[in-house]
Amino acid sequence: MTTRPDYATARERAGFGWYVGSSQGALRALAGIPIREFNLEVSACAETYRLGRIRQREVFGDEVGQYPLLTPAISYGHVNCLGSELLFPEGGEVAHTHVYGSLAEGVAALQQPVDWLSQGMAPYFLRFRDELQQRFPDEPVRWSFGGEGPLTTAYELRGDGFFTDIYDDPPLAREFMRLVVDSILDFDRVCAGVNGQPFPNPAGSGMCDDIASFIPPARFPEFVLPYWEQLYSGLTSGTRSAHVEDLRPAQLPFLEEIGLSHFDPSISPRLTPKIFCEGCRVPFTWRLGCFHLRQMPAQEVEDFVFLSAADGANGVSLTLAETICDDASVPKVQAFMRAGKEAKQLLGEGCSREELRQRASEDGRRRLWEGWCGYLGARGAQAGSAAWGMKAAGA
């Protein structure tokens, strides 16, 4: 039985932290390895890790977290084993095809047992892992042939048709969703075994389910919460965390209802830290996107950190990506880390969040979070603010 957090104190108890991490994309950029070669060739993947890690340390220093040694991170492994074709374009991220032409077809297919390790490209990437492990004998290589949360998986399988399925045939859509989660859990059980991890994990588990934000708030109790609960109950008896992009304010109360201990809004242009805090009491980390960082001067990056903390975030995070592994981005990444350390220290010493607000520049206090939707930078703040206002009013 999962113990729900005490939301009266959860955010205060969570404190504040900061994190800057790497990614396979950043390592590829630093090593000069094309994405398609990285995804399909062991030698290219190995060289990305070998050279990319060295260059990351040279460029960004030791405080940026090194990316763990994984096979190419493919989020469509689960649906690939169910028949979806993986697509590896030149210069682009992995894509996939949709599988089921109807709900009835999906329900019938998902009732059949699957030998996960023999289907799709699973055997290829298992061999990939073994060969990569031979090149890095002193560091375990994790198999990163994964899957997504319930609503995202349903979309991957059915395509756009899923968004009308829930209106055209709700009972069959509910059965489809139940079978989708059963399939996710069975796949995750096998993946955990491959990686030597416990399943279920008594400590806690997370979920990525971006497509859940497409479900109107009025349909959340019917088409989201039951399947989140089914998934979490199968994954863990411990803490629950989630990453869902682009939630609307009206969807935030459901994060408490499902019992989350931590939430990552990621890129959610209809939210700000203040809006999030007004909508629910789940501890959360506010992310600075790489496209934000490219448009912001270093001072504004620091303002972002201080104002995120002042407005209630329990942490700030930044992930290196291909687009910010350049000379212009380095001082901004350093500014993020510098402000993160200062905010954490001050809050730990008893500084109030409101006092922390004064650490931001006067211009930053005036503008953030105005224009945050699709952030346009200083020159586009007025237009961005108007756009944000219209979107928020129609959320």
Side-chain angles (χ1 to χ4, degrees):
M1 179 69 177
T2 299
T3 302
R4 289 175 56 85
D6 178 0
Y7 289 120
T9 60
R11 193 167 286 150
E12 180 181 354
R13 291 169 61 87
F16 180 84
W18 65 275
Y19 178 74
V20 178
S22 187
S23 68
Q24 290 184 340
L27 295 180
R28 291 195 306 266
L30 291 164
I33 304 294
I35 184 172
R36 193 172 192 276
E37 284 81 347
F38 172 86
N39 283 331
L40 294 174
E41 300 175 12
V42 176
S43 59
C45 182
E47 181 66 2
T48 296
Y49 274 100
R50 187 194 67 79
L51 185 56
R53 284 174 162 181
I54 293 171
R55 290 185 174 169
Q56 178 184 305
R57 190 173 295 110
E58 291 172 348
V59 173
F60 293 102
D62 292 329
E63 291 184 295
V64 175
Q66 285 283 5
Y67 199 76
L69 188 55
L70 315 176
T71 58
I74 295 173
S75 300
Y76 311 123
H78 172 221
V79 294
N80 174 243
C81 291
L82 292 173
S84 173
E85 180 186 359
L86 294 182
L87 307 172
F88 296 88
E90 294 286 350
E93 294 287 349
V94 183
H96 70 95
T97 59
H98 302 296
V99 185
Y100 304 136
S102 68
L103 273 180
E105 180 186 349
V107 167
L110 290 171
Q111 290 174 331
Q112 304 304 312
V114 179
D115 180 5
W116 299 108
L117 299 185
S118 69
Q119 299 302 306
M121 294 190 73
Y124 178 88
F125 283 106
L126 285 170
R127 291 193 299 272
F128 196 114
R129 184 203 60 166
D130 292 343
E131 292 179 30
L132 195 59
Q133 186 67 80
Q134 292 173 14
R135 295 169 187 256
F136 294 90
D138 298 325
E139 182 178 357
V141 178
R142 187 164 69 85
W143 194 48
S144 187
F145 192 69
E148 299 277 6
L151 281 302
T152 305
T153 302
Y155 167 74
E156 290 170 355
L157 293 171
R158 275 286 291 127
D160 294 344
F162 176 72
F163 299 122
T164 55
D165 289 340
I166 65 175
Y167 296 99
D168 293 341
D169 195 342
L172 195 60
R174 289 193 294 269
E175 176 64 5
F176 178 69
M177 287 301 307
R178 183 187 69 79
L179 291 168
V180 163
V181 178
D182 282 347
S183 181
I184 293 171
L185 289 170
D186 194 41
F187 177 79
D188 285 356
R189 174 185 57 79
V190 171
C191 290
V194 170
N195 287 317
Q197 299 170 332
F199 186 91
N201 189 330
S205 189
M207 169 195 71
C208 296
D209 203 12
D210 291 337
I211 296 298
S213 65
F214 282 65
I215 306 301
R219 307 308 291 266
F220 252 63
E222 182 181 8
F223 283 107
V224 178
L225 293 184
Y227 308 105
W228 281 2
E229 181 60 43
Q230 181 187 350
L231 181 69
Y232 281 124
S233 295
L235 290 175
T236 185
S237 57
T239 59
R240 301 173 172 187
S241 61
H243 160 115
V244 183
E245 294 189 350
D246 201 28
L247 283 183
R248 280 65 169 169
Q251 295 166 323
L252 294 177
F254 298 114
L255 303 180
E256 277 191 44
E257 192 167 337
I258 202 65
L260 295 187
S261 294
H262 181 265
F263 184 68
D264 170 25
S266 187
I267 305 303
S268 295
R270 292 167 177 81
L271 302 179
T272 67
K274 184 177 180 180
I275 292 172
F276 190 94
C277 287
E278 291 171 348
C280 74
R281 298 171 292 173
V282 174
F284 70 102
T285 299
W286 194 242
R287 182 186 301 216
L288 182 63
C290 56
F291 66 97
H292 292 133
L293 184 110
R294 284 174 60 86
Q295 300 179 66
M296 299 166 78
Q299 178 60 61
E300 195 166 10
V301 171
E302 293 192 13
D303 293 343
F304 171 93
V305 174
F306 291 128
L307 293 172
S308 296
D311 284 340
N314 293 100
V316 289
S317 67
L318 170 66
T319 299
L320 298 184
E322 298 95 318
T323 54
I324 58 171
C325 291
D326 56 10
D327 292 341
S329 298
V330 173
K332 300 179 187 181
V333 174
Q334 293 171 338
F336 184 94
M337 293 190 291
R338 185 169 57 248
K341 293 176 192 175
E342 185 175 352
K344 179 178 175 63
Q345 179 180 344
L346 289 170
L347 288 170
E349 293 172 350
C351 173
S352 72
R353 291 186 182 253
E354 199 53 41
E355 289 176 297
L356 198 61
R357 187 183 306 278
Q358 303 309 310
R359 295 279 171 168
S361 71
E362 182 178 348
D363 185 56
R365 295 196 302 271
R366 184 175 63 252
R367 290 202 310 107
L368 288 173
W369 304 98
E370 292 295 320
W372 189 246
C373 176
Y375 183 76
L376 300 174
R379 291 184 297 278
Q382 184 174 359
S385 180
W388 183 87
M390 288 188 290
K391 286 180 178 280

